Amino acid sequence: MNDEAVVESVPKSAGKRKIRGVKRTAFSMPYLALSIVFVVVPLFIMLYYAFTGLNGHFTFSNFTHFFSRPNIMKVVGRSFFVALITTLICFLLAYPLALALSSSMLNKKAILVMLFVLPMWINSLLRTYAMKIVLHILNISNAWVAVTVGMVYDFFPFMLLPLYSVLSGMDKNVTEAAYDLGATPITTLFKVTLPLSLPGIVSGVLMVFMPTVSTFAISDILGDTSTYMFGNVIDQWFRNSGGWHIGSAYSLILLALIAITVVIANKVSKGHAEVGGVL
């Protein structure tokens, strides 16, 4: 039977199956409604404030204010650098742990994963204040070290979960085949396991990098004036009664920078996947 016959034999209603008389697409309606209310509508409100002045007239002055502000690019670069360092540390800590948990023969390894994810159940501000107390007890006074440790502690589970999900679902026969062909554990890790887990790596990197580059609470609580980041700049404008317009413009600029980072990460991921498929 050729491919055309197979396609014709599939009922046209196969993609519109019902569950207890309800179309499967109907189950996505609540999520769609929440996305419109809490994502789309606030985004349009932010667009309105970004492109209007205090008098309500259309203007680009809110964006020109960004480029005319002294040292603003230094603050943006500092924010991206801290986010990059935080993401790198989270990856170096989470990948070996996820690899060990996914390959563990323990029947209770789900409980071990839960122990590392458990801090996510506690409010982020509470965890940050708790970390401030810990750092004070350890006599760590360097503001940058404190901010970095706080960010790694806060966002570490967001790196661990996607890595563990991908590694635990990986076909173990692939690594066993590599061992049978004479590959060493290190060669198997870098030539087989790491490329196959790339989707989880990209997902974890984005889940850590994006909130880190825009955060302001952690640097406020654990840092000082030297750790002033772009998120703090935006927060400062929104705290002022007349600064919502400039704060919205700054938020859109940050959103555009993050979007560019996501596009680059996706292209790198696809490039590595294509190379891996060729090899």
Side-chain angles (χ1 to χ4, degrees):
M1 184 181 295
N2 56 28
D3 295 340
E4 295 180 358
V6 173
V7 173
E8 291 177 358
S9 65
V10 177
K12 294 183 180 180
S13 60
K16 300 180 180 179
R17 293 177 181 174
K18 296 182 178 181
I19 301 177
R20 296 185 180 273
V22 181
K23 292 183 178 179
R24 289 194 296 181
T25 54
F27 291 98
S28 65
M29 292 299 109
Y31 175 77
L32 180 61
L34 289 175
S35 298
I36 293 174
V37 173
F38 294 106
V39 178
V40 178
V41 173
L43 182 60
F44 275 101
I45 294 175
M46 189 170 65
L47 284 169
Y48 168 77
Y49 276 103
F51 288 98
T52 57
L54 293 176
N55 54 7
H57 295 161
F58 181 83
T59 180
F60 284 107
S61 61
N62 299 321
F63 293 92
T64 57
H65 183 278
F66 171 82
F67 295 101
S68 62
R69 180 167 177 165
N71 297 324
I72 189 62
M73 297 308 298
K74 182 179 179 180
V75 175
V76 174
R78 179 193 303 157
S79 302
F80 273 80
F81 178 74
V82 173
L84 184 63
I85 295 298
T86 302
T87 304
L88 180 61
I89 295 175
C90 285
F91 171 74
L92 293 177
L93 293 176
Y95 196 88
L97 178 60
L99 195 63
L101 291 174
S102 63
S103 59
S104 175
M105 300 303 293
L106 295 175
N107 295 327
K108 305 297 183 181
K109 63 180 180 180
I111 298 178
L112 294 177
V113 176
M114 185 60 66
L115 290 176
F116 289 100
V117 179
L118 196 61
M120 294 178 63
W121 296 4
I122 305 173
N123 184 272
S124 176
L125 289 178
L126 294 178
R127 285 186 279 128
T128 304
Y129 277 110
M131 179 55 64
K132 183 176 183 179
I133 296 174
V134 172
L135 293 174
H136 177 71
I137 295 174
L138 296 176
N139 198 26
I140 298 177
S141 58
N142 188 286
W144 280 113
V145 174
V147 170
T148 304
V149 170
M151 288 186 176
V152 170
Y153 170 69
D154 203 54
F155 297 112
F156 175 78
F158 295 99
M159 179 68 76
L160 177 63
L161 280 179
L163 289 176
Y164 172 75
S165 178
V166 170
L167 290 172
S168 61
M170 189 180 300
D171 188 358
K172 300 299 186 294
N173 292 327
V174 178
T175 55
E176 291 178 2
Y179 291 141
D180 292 339
L181 293 173
T184 63
I186 298 298
T187 303
T188 303
L189 174 64
F190 286 99
K191 294 292 185 179
V192 178
T193 306
L194 201 62
L196 291 177
S197 61
L198 192 60
I201 295 174
V202 173
S203 177
V205 165
L206 293 179
M207 290 178 66
V208 173
F209 183 84
M210 288 191 293
T212 305
V213 77
S214 58
T215 188
F216 63 90
I218 297 177
S219 56
D220 264 349
I221 297 172
L222 300 180
D224 52 25
T225 56
S226 65
T227 58
Y228 202 63
M229 299 173 65
F230 196 32
N232 298 103
V233 177
I234 297 174
D235 175 62
Q236 182 186 45
W237 284 110
F238 276 105
R239 288 178 185 273
N240 297 330
S241 58
W244 281 35
H245 300 272
I246 295 178
S248 298
Y250 279 30
S251 299
L252 283 180
I253 293 173
L254 178 60
L255 183 63
L257 293 174
I258 293 176
I260 294 172
T261 305
V262 172
V263 171
I264 294 174
N266 287 333
K267 286 187 175 295
V268 171
S269 176
K270 290 180 180 179
H272 280 285
E274 292 175 356
V275 172
V278 172
L279 295 177

